[in-house]
Amino acid sequence: MSISVQLEDFDIKAETEKVTAGRTDIGALVTFTGLARDHAGTKTVEAMELEHYPGMTERELERIEKEAHERWQLQASRIIHRYGPLYPGEQIVLVITASAHRKDAFEAAEFLMDWLKTKAPFWKKETGPSGTHWVDAKASDDEAAARWQK
Amino acid sequence: MKILYFASLKEKIGRSEEDIDCPPETKTVGDLLGWLQGRGEGYAHAFEDTALIKAAVDQEHATLDAPITGAREIAFFPPVTGG
């Protein structure tokens, strides 16, 4: 289990290799990468700025990761979330889950993203041709997270 | 007690953090929010729609009825939009 909140980009291949290094018990490895889009609905996005709550962000990601390990049989996991200025095409977030069989890794990765989107203290500010605005939270993200409520 | 503001709340209030001594009758996050609303125009604007205000007490998500007695750090922010 490991989380990072960082300004820098990440290397998916290097991160997956770190998860699997020296292990032969992993049967399923799921990676999810979230990218910055060049549009939000019909609006063009030229750039975004991700603000976060240093300290709480790390603690919240650790709590979410721990919860995933309690719910699924995971052998390893890794979460990386960037902050700061981001441009379309850039990587924002990485979730890796490893398990003996695919179901656990698939479900846990989806859970991690759904919970992260509604719990980790990040805020996106988008800039487009008509100016800059804070992104509103989506009801669909709340619904996606709600299905994992026990 | 340290109070932190993030994203749109930070911009409306015009600062990211402050140390305050709130009156003893402010016992919950909601009490504190109500007290902050009366501190000026920026605060009133930032805290206008309480349905869109989230809070954390000592870096853990908290609801409006959560107690703040003994807390070191309280944060207010809009619903999160990471990922």
Side-chain angles (χ1 to χ4, degrees):
Chain A
M1 299 205 321
S2 133
I3 66 108
S4 300
V5 179
Q6 63 190 47
L7 196 58
E8 314 80 55
D9 196 11
F10 49 81
D11 179 342
I12 302 172
K13 188 163 180 286
E15 293 300 331
T16 54
E17 280 170 2
K18 273 186 245 170
V19 168
T20 56
R23 301 186 67 150
T24 50
D25 59 334
I26 294 170
L29 186 76
V30 169
T31 73
F32 171 86
T33 312
L35 307 175
R37 263 189 313 265
D38 64 359
H39 65 279
T42 55
K43 286 190 202 144
T44 300
V45 178
E46 292 164 346
M48 66 168 73
E49 177 83 27
L50 256 170
E51 183 177 327
H52 77 117
Y53 180 173
M56 178 171 170
T57 311
E58 288 82 355
R59 292 180 62 179
E60 196 58 31
L61 290 179
E62 280 166 2
R63 281 191 281 261
I64 294 167
E65 190 179 43
K66 186 163 168 277
E67 182 71 29
H69 280 256
E70 281 166 13
R71 294 188 186 205
W72 287 276
Q73 295 285 319
L74 296 180
Q75 292 159 320
S77 59
R78 175 87 172 112
I79 303 173
I80 302 177
H81 204 305
R82 294 176 68 192
Y83 64 90
L86 288 160
Y87 295 89
E90 284 195 69
Q91 305 184 127
I92 305 177
V93 57
L94 175 69
V95 162
I96 302 177
T97 50
S99 58
H101 304 281
R102 71 181 184 281
K103 193 168 188 286
D104 289 282
F106 268 134
E107 286 186 8
E110 208 172 353
F111 163 84
L112 284 169
M113 277 311 300
D114 285 345
W115 270 36
L116 179 158
K117 281 193 90 86
T118 53
K119 292 180 188 293
F122 287 97
W123 300 275
K124 285 192 186 105
K125 194 181 202 180
E126 288 176 348
T127 298
S130 54
T132 294
H133 70 277
W134 289 101
V135 173
D136 288 326
K138 291 195 190 94
S140 56
D141 286 337
D142 286 333
E143 286 155 20
R147 72 198 162 111
W148 303 106
Q149 279 306 344
K150 278 187 175 167
Chain B
M1 185 183 288
K2 191 159 125 185
I3 314 285
L4 304 174
Y5 308 106
F6 290 95
S8 54
L9 294 192
K10 177 180 74 181
E11 289 181 356
K12 286 172 187 167
I13 291 166
R15 60 178 70 180
S16 59
E17 65 173 87
E18 58 186 325
D19 276 303
I20 61 155
D21 293 310
C22 55
E25 62 270 22
T26 50
K27 291 184 174 15
T28 65
V29 171
D31 293 342
L32 176 62
L33 199 153
W35 182 75
L36 287 168
Q37 276 173 331
R39 293 191 81 207
E41 210 174 304
Y43 291 90
H45 181 39
F47 293 120
E48 209 165 24
D49 187 354
T50 51
L52 291 177
I53 309 289
K54 301 287 181 188
V57 175
D58 288 335
Q59 305 193 346
E60 281 200 46
H61 288 292
T63 48
L64 290 183
D65 58 357
I68 57 168
T69 310
R72 293 181 309 277
E73 183 175 303
I74 312 229
F76 290 100
F77 43 82
V80 303
T81 54

